[in-house]
Amino acid sequence: MKKESISLETQLSAWCAETFAACFPGVDLSTIPLAVIPSRNEEFGDCQCEAAMKLAKELKTNPRAVAQQFKEKAVLPAFVEKIEIAGPGFINIYLKTAALADQLTAMQSDKKLGLPNLGKNQTVIIDYSSPNVAKPMHIGHIRSTVIGNALDRLYRALGYNVIADNHLGDWGTQFGLIILGYREFADAEALKTAPVEELERIYVKSYNMSKEDETWRDRAKAELVKLQQGDKENRALWEKFVELTLSEFNRIYKRLGVSFDFYRGESFYNDQLAGTVARLKKEGLASVSDGALVCDLEADGLNVAIVRKSDGGYNYTTTDIATVISRTAEFQPSEIIYVTDERQQLHFKQFFHICKKIGVPTKLTHVWFGLMRLPEATFSTREGNVIKLEALLNEAEARALEVVKTSSPGMDEAQQREIARAVGIGAIKYTDLSQNPQSLVTFTWEKALAMDGNSAPYLQYAYARIASVRDKYAAQFPDKNPDDFPIILTEEIERRLALKLTRFPAAVVSAASLDRPSVMADYLFDLSQTYSSFYQNVPFLKADEGPRESRIRLCALTAAILKNGLALLGIETPERI
RNA sequence: GCACCCAUAGCUCAAUUGGAUAGAGCAUCUGACUACGAAUCAGAAGGUUGCAGGUUCGACUCCUGCUGGGUGCACCA
């Protein structure tokens, strides 16, 4: 990587570490966080270092004195204007404005906008979306899909070799019920027009019958056994169910701009389950209890996990362990990330623990999010109060279309629709991505489809305005190239914008390493707010030559970051909205 | 009963993982379209961070105990 594309904070962190080492030669600094971070408050410089206070705690001395010692010893890097000691021992750093301009120039000449190649030669598997076959996707599925996809994009942007795997729920006891129900009361017409809905109807009906009718339950069980033993007819039916479901899911994924490298459902690992259990037994981790084979994790505070049912069948703990073993052998990933809702926390803790015990070296991460609820209650298929994902997408596009029509009445209809699609889908995604997911979410249409304030359309609007400025500039000054002029930061708002622009790479790194797309969304919104203020308060096209070109360049870099940053969240940026 | 999670402005959420005066958006109020797109901007108002203790230079953040809500806890995934 080119040296100038390393963020200023990264360089300053290294500089601080060196200076502290010089001040305190005998002291072990390895455990002290020495990083330089963006200032928490703009009035206290551009960046700050809190290490003096942390170090003072370690040394049991006065933090201000430590900071003072640092300041006396410090030889300022060329791009630093000055440093100041403040408060209990903050080291506030002021950057030279010219250095900021240089940093922007370097970013602009880099196709990756300064993103580091952190993931070189590392494979990360992201397991997300993972819906069940024969059940329509509803609004509860969107979070895993959208968050997982954003992580996918973030890791890829940082150079990781990402494998996106859709671990479909395509195997299990429900298929006995569905096969039986299908034979008895499938509606051929409904199966054509709305296949997954019909499969679900069949399942629900069959399930309810099994609860009341023992004979029915036994027949379903028999169908399941036949399927598991490879019976041709049942196998063909199962394949048909999977195919019908997938084709419908793919239609939704396409609308969402989501794609996977693999669709390896649970069935893919089916023939590895017996071996997995054998391995657990061999390692002495499994024991028989009430006829079932279990891993007792009581000692680690993780209850008991069943790995083979008393009827000899396997359950999802076993499947998940087998999946990890298989993935590790095939891809040697450095990490596997799972994106699911919070209800599965215990399950993941259990099987991560077991994997560790059998010596799986891979880092396993569970990214969980709060359950989606309706204002009245938790929604469930049985209650019949689910909102289907497609209905949500349709509604989003319809509402966006209304807005587009009123604000751009002259546009032809096809373009209006295309924009409404990007804006509507973007709004939905952003709603899920812009908040820390670890709290339960109450679904409201109003919130899901927010179009102003902290929302995707706000960011898209900022982008479209820049695109418009760019085109107007090109039309008015066809013989000029802004890049032939230097970036000069004279207005305070220009400097503030510049500082935020330089922090794009750090935002991406942070979002990925915390597995929180919301960090990226926060950054982009903050950037957009600063840009909007710049836009509203400083003339571009009417400015004198020089400042004019410099501002056009700031606009261009902002546009590039908005476009790329939103792309990392899977959100499109139309040139006109 | 045990475990995990959540509680911040009227509402929806932030707070760089222990830092300086807790910040945004919506809603409310006041201003700004004969400058580049008003899906915008400038400003005002809004807080005992659920409660009570504790740890320390410093707590929304960590510890203990409560209150209220959510979710799990043996053959569904």
mmCIF file of all heavy atoms in Angstrom, chain B residues 26-42:
data_model
loop_
_atom_site.group_PDB
_atom_site.id
_atom_site.type_symbol
_atom_site.label_atom_id
_atom_site.label_comp_id
_atom_site.label_asym_id
_atom_site.label_seq_id
_atom_site.Cartn_x
_atom_site.Cartn_y
_atom_site.Cartn_z
ATOM 1 P P C B 26 -35.423 15.355 10.660
ATOM 2 O OP1 C B 26 -35.757 15.646 9.255
ATOM 3 O OP2 C B 26 -35.195 16.450 11.612
ATOM 4 O "O5'" C B 26 -36.521 14.393 11.326
ATOM 5 C "C5'" C B 26 -37.556 13.840 10.569
ATOM 6 C "C4'" C B 26 -38.473 13.048 11.460
ATOM 7 O "O4'" C B 26 -37.771 12.546 12.615
ATOM 8 C "C3'" C B 26 -39.602 13.854 12.074
ATOM 9 O "O3'" C B 26 -40.648 14.056 11.136
ATOM 10 C "C2'" C B 26 -40.017 12.966 13.237
ATOM 11 O "O2'" C B 26 -40.776 11.862 12.812
ATOM 12 C "C1'" C B 26 -38.648 12.483 13.732
ATOM 13 N N1 C B 26 -38.104 13.318 14.824
ATOM 14 C C2 C B 26 -38.706 13.261 16.093
ATOM 15 O O2 C B 26 -39.677 12.497 16.266
ATOM 16 N N3 C B 26 -38.213 14.012 17.103
ATOM 17 C C4 C B 26 -37.166 14.806 16.884
ATOM 18 N N4 C B 26 -36.703 15.532 17.907
ATOM 19 C C5 C B 26 -36.535 14.900 15.609
ATOM 20 C C6 C B 26 -37.031 14.141 14.617
ATOM 21 P P A B 27 -41.102 15.557 10.905
ATOM 22 O OP1 A B 27 -41.998 15.489 9.733
ATOM 23 O OP2 A B 27 -39.940 16.477 10.881
ATOM 24 O "O5'" A B 27 -41.946 15.836 12.210
ATOM 25 C "C5'" A B 27 -43.066 15.009 12.530
ATOM 26 C "C4'" A B 27 -43.484 15.220 13.958
ATOM 27 O "O4'" A B 27 -42.460 14.698 14.850
ATOM 28 C "C3'" A B 27 -43.617 16.676 14.389
ATOM 29 O "O3'" A B 27 -44.850 17.256 13.992
ATOM 30 C "C2'" A B 27 -43.489 16.557 15.900
ATOM 31 O "O2'" A B 27 -44.663 16.044 16.482
ATOM 32 C "C1'" A B 27 -42.370 15.521 16.001
ATOM 33 N N9 A B 27 -41.061 16.187 16.009
ATOM 34 C C8 A B 27 -40.197 16.395 14.960
ATOM 35 N N7 A B 27 -39.111 17.047 15.284
ATOM 36 C C5 A B 27 -39.266 17.290 16.643
ATOM 37 C C6 A B 27 -38.464 17.949 17.593
ATOM 38 N N6 A B 27 -37.287 18.503 17.294
ATOM 39 N N1 A B 27 -38.914 18.022 18.859
ATOM 40 C C2 A B 27 -40.104 17.486 19.149
ATOM 41 N N3 A B 27 -40.952 16.835 18.354
ATOM 42 C C4 A B 27 -40.470 16.770 17.103
ATOM 43 P P U B 28 -44.807 18.775 13.500
ATOM 44 O OP1 U B 28 -46.198 19.069 13.079
ATOM 45 O OP2 U B 28 -43.689 18.970 12.555
ATOM 46 O "O5'" U B 28 -44.470 19.580 14.835
ATOM 47 C "C5'" U B 28 -45.375 19.584 15.925
ATOM 48 C "C4'" U B 28 -44.882 20.506 17.019
ATOM 49 O "O4'" U B 28 -43.650 19.975 17.586
ATOM 50 C "C3'" U B 28 -44.474 21.902 16.561
ATOM 51 O "O3'" U B 28 -45.591 22.763 16.392
ATOM 52 C "C2'" U B 28 -43.557 22.351 17.694
ATOM 53 O "O2'" U B 28 -44.308 22.737 18.836
ATOM 54 C "C1'" U B 28 -42.813 21.052 18.010
ATOM 55 N N1 U B 28 -41.523 20.966 17.293
ATOM 56 C C2 U B 28 -40.422 21.602 17.859
ATOM 57 O O2 U B 28 -40.492 22.221 18.900
ATOM 58 N N3 U B 28 -39.258 21.504 17.143
ATOM 59 C C4 U B 28 -39.075 20.840 15.939
ATOM 60 O O4 U B 28 -37.967 20.836 15.419
ATOM 61 C C5 U B 28 -40.251 20.211 15.421
ATOM 62 C C6 U B 28 -41.414 20.289 16.096
ATOM 63 P P C B 29 -45.536 23.840 15.189
ATOM 64 O OP1 C B 29 -46.893 24.424 15.115
ATOM 65 O OP2 C B 29 -44.939 23.209 13.996
ATOM 66 O "O5'" C B 29 -44.524 24.951 15.725
ATOM 67 C "C5'" C B 29 -44.863 25.720 16.872
ATOM 68 C "C4'" C B 29 -43.680 26.568 17.288
ATOM 69 O "O4'" C B 29 -42.588 25.716 17.705
ATOM 70 C "C3'" C B 29 -43.053 27.420 16.179
ATOM 71 O "O3'" C B 29 -43.793 28.591 15.893
ATOM 72 C "C2'" C B 29 -41.679 27.705 16.769
ATOM 73 O "O2'" C B 29 -41.747 28.679 17.785
ATOM 74 C "C1'" C B 29 -41.343 26.355 17.394
ATOM 75 N N1 C B 29 -40.584 25.497 16.455
ATOM 76 C C2 C B 29 -39.195 25.704 16.359
ATOM 77 O O2 C B 29 -38.674 26.578 17.050
ATOM 78 N N3 C B 29 -38.480 24.947 15.506
ATOM 79 C C4 C B 29 -39.085 24.020 14.760
ATOM 80 N N4 C B 29 -38.337 23.297 13.930
ATOM 81 C C5 C B 29 -40.498 23.798 14.833
ATOM 82 C C6 C B 29 -41.197 24.547 15.686
ATOM 83 P P U B 30 -43.770 29.160 14.390
ATOM 84 O OP1 U B 30 -44.879 30.127 14.319
ATOM 85 O OP2 U B 30 -43.725 28.021 13.446
ATOM 86 O "O5'" U B 30 -42.379 29.929 14.277
ATOM 87 C "C5'" U B 30 -41.919 30.753 15.338
ATOM 88 C "C4'" U B 30 -40.556 31.304 15.000
ATOM 89 O "O4'" U B 30 -39.525 30.341 15.359
ATOM 90 C "C3'" U B 30 -40.307 31.563 13.524
ATOM 91 O "O3'" U B 30 -40.889 32.777 13.086
ATOM 92 C "C2'" U B 30 -38.781 31.573 13.467
ATOM 93 O "O2'" U B 30 -38.240 32.788 13.944
ATOM 94 C "C1'" U B 30 -38.433 30.453 14.445
ATOM 95 N N1 U B 30 -38.268 29.160 13.746
ATOM 96 C C2 U B 30 -37.004 28.873 13.226
ATOM 97 O O2 U B 30 -36.067 29.631 13.323
ATOM 98 N N3 U B 30 -36.900 27.674 12.573
ATOM 99 C C4 U B 30 -37.906 26.753 12.388
ATOM 100 O O4 U B 30 -37.662 25.714 11.777
ATOM 101 C C5 U B 30 -39.179 27.120 12.953
ATOM 102 C C6 U B 30 -39.311 28.283 13.596
ATOM 103 P P G B 31 -41.003 33.060 11.539
ATOM 104 O OP1 G B 31 -41.744 34.320 11.377
ATOM 105 O OP2 G B 31 -41.456 31.834 10.829
ATOM 106 O "O5'" G B 31 -39.477 33.317 11.169
ATOM 107 C "C5'" G B 31 -39.084 33.368 9.830
ATOM 108 C "C4'" G B 31 -37.580 33.359 9.746
ATOM 109 O "O4'" G B 31 -37.038 32.333 10.624
ATOM 110 C "C3'" G B 31 -37.077 32.962 8.367
ATOM 111 O "O3'" G B 31 -37.105 34.063 7.477
ATOM 112 C "C2'" G B 31 -35.690 32.442 8.677
ATOM 113 O "O2'" G B 31 -34.776 33.481 8.961
ATOM 114 C "C1'" G B 31 -35.982 31.656 9.968
ATOM 115 N N9 G B 31 -36.434 30.288 9.647
ATOM 116 C C8 G B 31 -37.660 29.724 9.896
ATOM 117 N N7 G B 31 -37.761 28.486 9.480
ATOM 118 C C5 G B 31 -36.531 28.222 8.915
ATOM 119 C C6 G B 31 -36.037 27.049 8.300
ATOM 120 O O6 G B 31 -36.620 25.968 8.121
ATOM 121 N N1 G B 31 -34.729 27.200 7.858
ATOM 122 C C2 G B 31 -33.981 28.347 8.001
ATOM 123 N N2 G B 31 -32.741 28.312 7.517
ATOM 124 N N3 G B 31 -34.425 29.447 8.576
ATOM 125 C C4 G B 31 -35.696 29.315 9.011
ATOM 126 P P A B 32 -37.854 33.849 6.107
ATOM 127 O OP1 A B 32 -38.095 35.192 5.548
ATOM 128 O OP2 A B 32 -38.956 32.893 6.290
ATOM 129 O "O5'" A B 32 -36.713 33.138 5.226
ATOM 130 C "C5'" A B 32 -35.429 33.736 5.153
ATOM 131 C "C4'" A B 32 -34.463 32.802 4.491
ATOM 132 O "O4'" A B 32 -34.231 31.650 5.330
ATOM 133 C "C3'" A B 32 -34.928 32.196 3.165
ATOM 134 O "O3'" A B 32 -34.795 33.119 2.097
ATOM 135 C "C2'" A B 32 -33.999 31.004 3.043
ATOM 136 O "O2'" A B 32 -32.713 31.386 2.619
ATOM 137 C "C1'" A B 32 -33.915 30.540 4.511
ATOM 138 N N9 A B 32 -34.884 29.462 4.778
ATOM 139 C C8 A B 32 -36.100 29.524 5.384
ATOM 140 N N7 A B 32 -36.734 28.371 5.452
ATOM 141 C C5 A B 32 -35.862 27.492 4.849
ATOM 142 C C6 A B 32 -35.937 26.109 4.598
ATOM 143 N N6 A B 32 -36.960 25.344 4.935
ATOM 144 N N1 A B 32 -34.895 25.532 3.967
ATOM 145 C C2 A B 32 -33.844 26.300 3.617
ATOM 146 N N3 A B 32 -33.668 27.608 3.790
ATOM 147 C C4 A B 32 -34.715 28.138 4.423
ATOM 148 P P C B 33 -35.933 33.333 1.045
ATOM 149 O OP1 C B 33 -35.450 34.406 0.166
ATOM 150 O OP2 C B 33 -37.255 33.421 1.716
ATOM 151 O "O5'" C B 33 -35.923 31.948 0.217
ATOM 152 C "C5'" C B 33 -36.558 31.866 -1.028
ATOM 153 C "C4'" C B 33 -35.790 30.941 -1.939
ATOM 154 O "O4'" C B 33 -35.830 29.625 -1.399
ATOM 155 C "C3'" C B 33 -36.372 30.813 -3.323
ATOM 156 O "O3'" C B 33 -35.880 31.838 -4.162
ATOM 157 C "C2'" C B 33 -35.883 29.431 -3.769
ATOM 158 O "O2'" C B 33 -34.585 29.495 -4.303
ATOM 159 C "C1'" C B 33 -35.849 28.677 -2.449
ATOM 160 N N1 C B 33 -36.976 27.750 -2.210
ATOM 161 C C2 C B 33 -38.292 28.167 -2.330
ATOM 162 O O2 C B 33 -38.510 29.285 -2.646
ATOM 163 N N3 C B 33 -39.299 27.290 -2.080
ATOM 164 C C4 C B 33 -39.039 26.062 -1.733
ATOM 165 N N4 C B 33 -40.056 25.253 -1.483
ATOM 166 C C5 C B 33 -37.719 25.620 -1.602
ATOM 167 C C6 C B 33 -36.739 26.482 -1.849
ATOM 168 P P U B 34 -36.950 32.931 -4.675
ATOM 169 O OP1 U B 34 -37.029 34.061 -3.752
ATOM 170 O OP2 U B 34 -38.142 32.104 -4.915
ATOM 171 O "O5'" U B 34 -36.364 33.417 -6.070
ATOM 172 C "C5'" U B 34 -35.874 32.460 -7.004
ATOM 173 C "C4'" U B 34 -34.950 33.165 -7.964
ATOM 174 O "O4'" U B 34 -35.622 34.341 -8.516
ATOM 175 C "C3'" U B 34 -33.687 33.752 -7.327
ATOM 176 O "O3'" U B 34 -32.674 32.789 -7.185
ATOM 177 C "C2'" U B 34 -33.300 34.821 -8.331
ATOM 178 O "O2'" U B 34 -32.690 34.294 -9.479
ATOM 179 C "C1'" U B 34 -34.680 35.370 -8.720
ATOM 180 N N1 U B 34 -35.062 36.541 -7.894
ATOM 181 C C2 U B 34 -34.491 37.760 -8.219
ATOM 182 O O2 U B 34 -33.709 37.900 -9.145
ATOM 183 N N3 U B 34 -34.855 38.805 -7.408
ATOM 184 C C4 U B 34 -35.720 38.763 -6.346
ATOM 185 O O4 U B 34 -35.957 39.781 -5.715
ATOM 186 C C5 U B 34 -36.276 37.466 -6.066
ATOM 187 C C6 U B 34 -35.928 36.428 -6.831
ATOM 188 P P A B 35 -31.497 32.982 -6.153
ATOM 189 O OP1 A B 35 -31.940 32.528 -4.845
ATOM 190 O OP2 A B 35 -30.930 34.340 -6.313
ATOM 191 O "O5'" A B 35 -30.432 31.937 -6.740
ATOM 192 C "C5'" A B 35 -29.611 32.281 -7.831
ATOM 193 C "C4'" A B 35 -28.361 31.448 -7.763
ATOM 194 O "O4'" A B 35 -27.516 31.949 -6.701
ATOM 195 C "C3'" A B 35 -28.631 29.987 -7.411
ATOM 196 O "O3'" A B 35 -28.811 29.252 -8.601
ATOM 197 C "C2'" A B 35 -27.355 29.570 -6.684
ATOM 198 O "O2'" A B 35 -26.346 29.138 -7.589
ATOM 199 C "C1'" A B 35 -26.880 30.868 -6.041
ATOM 200 N N9 A B 35 -27.194 30.967 -4.617
ATOM 201 C C8 A B 35 -28.418 30.972 -4.006
ATOM 202 N N7 A B 35 -28.369 31.108 -2.704
ATOM 203 C C5 A B 35 -27.007 31.206 -2.439
ATOM 204 C C6 A B 35 -26.287 31.365 -1.252
ATOM 205 N N6 A B 35 -26.854 31.469 -0.054
ATOM 206 N N1 A B 35 -24.950 31.405 -1.339
ATOM 207 C C2 A B 35 -24.379 31.314 -2.554
ATOM 208 N N3 A B 35 -24.953 31.175 -3.745
ATOM 209 C C4 A B 35 -26.275 31.118 -3.606
ATOM 210 P P C B 36 -29.707 27.970 -8.505
ATOM 211 O OP1 C B 36 -30.394 27.876 -9.807
ATOM 212 O OP2 C B 36 -30.473 27.884 -7.247
ATOM 213 O "O5'" C B 36 -28.549 26.883 -8.451
ATOM 214 C "C5'" C B 36 -27.646 26.785 -9.534
ATOM 215 C "C4'" C B 36 -26.762 25.596 -9.342
ATOM 216 O "O4'" C B 36 -25.615 25.968 -8.559
ATOM 217 C "C3'" C B 36 -27.393 24.429 -8.587
ATOM 218 O "O3'" C B 36 -28.006 23.587 -9.540
ATOM 219 C "C2'" C B 36 -26.224 23.757 -7.880
ATOM 220 O "O2'" C B 36 -25.673 22.716 -8.667
ATOM 221 C "C1'" C B 36 -25.182 24.864 -7.801
ATOM 222 N N1 C B 36 -24.941 25.345 -6.436
ATOM 223 C C2 C B 36 -23.627 25.688 -6.077
ATOM 224 O O2 C B 36 -22.740 25.579 -6.915
ATOM 225 N N3 C B 36 -23.380 26.134 -4.831
ATOM 226 C C4 C B 36 -24.389 26.240 -3.962
ATOM 227 N N4 C B 36 -24.091 26.696 -2.767
ATOM 228 C C5 C B 36 -25.736 25.898 -4.308
ATOM 229 C C6 C B 36 -25.966 25.449 -5.541
ATOM 230 P P G B 37 -28.678 22.187 -9.091
ATOM 231 O OP1 G B 37 -27.551 21.345 -8.739
ATOM 232 O OP2 G B 37 -29.626 21.789 -10.173
ATOM 233 O "O5'" G B 37 -29.514 22.471 -7.768
ATOM 234 C "C5'" G B 37 -30.720 23.174 -7.798
ATOM 235 C "C4'" G B 37 -31.736 22.428 -6.973
ATOM 236 O "O4'" G B 37 -31.998 21.145 -7.614
ATOM 237 C "C3'" G B 37 -31.275 22.111 -5.555
ATOM 238 O "O3'" G B 37 -32.393 22.238 -4.677
ATOM 239 C "C2'" G B 37 -30.856 20.641 -5.638
ATOM 240 O "O2'" G B 37 -31.018 19.939 -4.419
ATOM 241 C "C1'" G B 37 -31.869 20.120 -6.653
ATOM 242 N N9 G B 37 -31.419 18.925 -7.338
ATOM 243 C C8 G B 37 -30.288 18.733 -8.075
ATOM 244 N N7 G B 37 -30.186 17.531 -8.558
ATOM 245 C C5 G B 37 -31.328 16.882 -8.114
ATOM 246 C C6 G B 37 -31.760 15.562 -8.322
ATOM 247 O O6 G B 37 -31.207 14.669 -8.965
ATOM 248 N N1 G B 37 -32.963 15.306 -7.695
ATOM 249 C C2 G B 37 -33.668 16.222 -6.963
ATOM 250 N N2 G B 37 -34.807 15.788 -6.438
ATOM 251 N N3 G B 37 -33.282 17.466 -6.759
ATOM 252 C C4 G B 37 -32.107 17.723 -7.361
ATOM 253 P P A B 38 -32.219 23.218 -3.388
ATOM 254 O OP1 A B 38 -32.555 24.616 -3.754
ATOM 255 O OP2 A B 38 -30.931 22.912 -2.791
ATOM 256 O "O5'" A B 38 -33.380 22.737 -2.413
ATOM 257 C "C5'" A B 38 -33.269 21.510 -1.722
ATOM 258 C "C4'" A B 38 -34.552 21.242 -0.973
ATOM 259 O "O4'" A B 38 -34.709 22.263 0.049
ATOM 260 C "C3'" A B 38 -35.784 21.312 -1.851
ATOM 261 O "O3'" A B 38 -36.753 20.376 -1.390
ATOM 262 C "C2'" A B 38 -36.305 22.718 -1.601
ATOM 263 O "O2'" A B 38 -37.689 22.860 -1.793
ATOM 264 C "C1'" A B 38 -35.950 22.892 -0.118
ATOM 265 N N9 A B 38 -35.817 24.295 0.252
ATOM 266 C C8 A B 38 -34.817 25.165 -0.056
ATOM 267 N N7 A B 38 -34.998 26.373 0.414
ATOM 268 C C5 A B 38 -36.210 26.286 1.089
ATOM 269 C C6 A B 38 -36.964 27.215 1.811
ATOM 270 N N6 A B 38 -36.596 28.479 1.986
ATOM 271 N N1 A B 38 -38.115 26.799 2.361
ATOM 272 C C2 A B 38 -38.483 25.530 2.197
ATOM 273 N N3 A B 38 -37.860 24.550 1.544
ATOM 274 C C4 A B 38 -36.725 24.995 1.005
ATOM 275 P P A B 39 -36.897 18.958 -2.138
ATOM 276 O OP1 A B 39 -35.934 18.872 -3.234
ATOM 277 O OP2 A B 39 -38.321 18.785 -2.394
ATOM 278 O "O5'" A B 39 -36.456 17.944 -1.000
ATOM 279 C "C5'" A B 39 -37.149 17.901 0.225
ATOM 280 C "C4'" A B 39 -36.854 16.600 0.923
ATOM 281 O "O4'" A B 39 -37.255 15.511 0.045
ATOM 282 C "C3'" A B 39 -35.368 16.393 1.196
ATOM 283 O "O3'" A B 39 -35.222 15.587 2.362
ATOM 284 C "C2'" A B 39 -34.911 15.564 0.003
ATOM 285 O "O2'" A B 39 -33.788 14.754 0.268
ATOM 286 C "C1'" A B 39 -36.140 14.690 -0.225
ATOM 287 N N9 A B 39 -36.245 14.180 -1.594
ATOM 288 C C8 A B 39 -36.087 14.845 -2.772
ATOM 289 N N7 A B 39 -36.225 14.091 -3.832
ATOM 290 C C5 A B 39 -36.508 12.840 -3.310
ATOM 291 C C6 A B 39 -36.747 11.598 -3.901
ATOM 292 N N6 A B 39 -36.775 11.414 -5.202
ATOM 293 N N1 A B 39 -36.971 10.549 -3.075
ATOM 294 C C2 A B 39 -36.945 10.751 -1.765
ATOM 295 N N3 A B 39 -36.736 11.868 -1.079
ATOM 296 C C4 A B 39 -36.517 12.881 -1.918
ATOM 297 P P U B 40 -34.723 16.266 3.722
ATOM 298 O OP1 U B 40 -33.958 15.241 4.463
ATOM 299 O OP2 U B 40 -35.850 16.951 4.371
ATOM 300 O "O5'" U B 40 -33.719 17.384 3.218
ATOM 301 C "C5'" U B 40 -32.416 17.042 2.760
ATOM 302 C "C4'" U B 40 -31.663 18.289 2.452
ATOM 303 O "O4'" U B 40 -32.479 19.156 1.618
ATOM 304 C "C3'" U B 40 -31.335 19.148 3.662
ATOM 305 O "O3'" U B 40 -30.172 18.696 4.325
ATOM 306 C "C2'" U B 40 -31.126 20.503 3.003
ATOM 307 O "O2'" U B 40 -29.904 20.566 2.322
ATOM 308 C "C1'" U B 40 -32.256 20.510 1.963
ATOM 309 N N1 U B 40 -33.507 21.071 2.501
ATOM 310 C C2 U B 40 -33.540 22.429 2.802
ATOM 311 O O2 U B 40 -32.595 23.165 2.628
ATOM 312 N N3 U B 40 -34.727 22.882 3.308
ATOM 313 C C4 U B 40 -35.852 22.155 3.551
ATOM 314 O O4 U B 40 -36.842 22.710 4.011
ATOM 315 C C5 U B 40 -35.756 20.756 3.209
ATOM 316 C C6 U B 40 -34.613 20.284 2.710
ATOM 317 P P C B 41 -29.981 18.941 5.871
ATOM 318 O OP1 C B 41 -28.783 18.172 6.281
ATOM 319 O OP2 C B 41 -31.255 18.752 6.578
ATOM 320 O "O5'" C B 41 -29.632 20.489 5.912
ATOM 321 C "C5'" C B 41 -28.444 20.964 5.314
ATOM 322 C "C4'" C B 41 -28.452 22.468 5.309
ATOM 323 O "O4'" C B 41 -29.671 22.936 4.677
ATOM 324 C "C3'" C B 41 -28.484 23.112 6.684
ATOM 325 O "O3'" C B 41 -27.200 23.178 7.249
ATOM 326 C "C2'" C B 41 -29.043 24.487 6.354
ATOM 327 O "O2'" C B 41 -28.057 25.315 5.772
ATOM 328 C "C1'" C B 41 -30.077 24.147 5.284
ATOM 329 N N1 C B 41 -31.428 23.961 5.836
ATOM 330 C C2 C B 41 -32.144 25.108 6.239
ATOM 331 O O2 C B 41 -31.607 26.221 6.135
ATOM 332 N N3 C B 41 -33.397 24.950 6.741
ATOM 333 C C4 C B 41 -33.930 23.752 6.834
ATOM 334 N N4 C B 41 -35.163 23.674 7.325
ATOM 335 C C5 C B 41 -33.227 22.578 6.442
ATOM 336 C C6 C B 41 -31.985 22.728 5.950
ATOM 337 P P A B 42 -27.015 23.190 8.814
ATOM 338 O OP1 A B 42 -25.568 23.094 9.074
ATOM 339 O OP2 A B 42 -27.947 22.224 9.445
ATOM 340 O "O5'" A B 42 -27.521 24.648 9.189
ATOM 341 C "C5'" A B 42 -26.722 25.777 8.876
ATOM 342 C "C4'" A B 42 -27.347 27.012 9.468
ATOM 343 O "O4'" A B 42 -28.632 27.240 8.845
ATOM 344 C "C3'" A B 42 -27.667 26.904 10.953
ATOM 345 O "O3'" A B 42 -26.551 27.160 11.762
ATOM 346 C "C2'" A B 42 -28.746 27.975 11.101
ATOM 347 O "O2'" A B 42 -28.180 29.270 11.125
ATOM 348 C "C1'" A B 42 -29.520 27.794 9.801
ATOM 349 N N9 A B 42 -30.670 26.894 9.947
ATOM 350 C C8 A B 42 -30.763 25.582 9.570
ATOM 351 N N7 A B 42 -31.936 25.041 9.835
ATOM 352 C C5 A B 42 -32.653 26.071 10.429
ATOM 353 C C6 A B 42 -33.961 26.149 10.940
ATOM 354 N N6 A B 42 -34.822 25.127 10.933
ATOM 355 N N1 A B 42 -34.356 27.320 11.472
ATOM 356 C C2 A B 42 -33.500 28.347 11.481
ATOM 357 N N3 A B 42 -32.238 28.400 11.023
ATOM 358 C C4 A B 42 -31.883 27.217 10.504
#
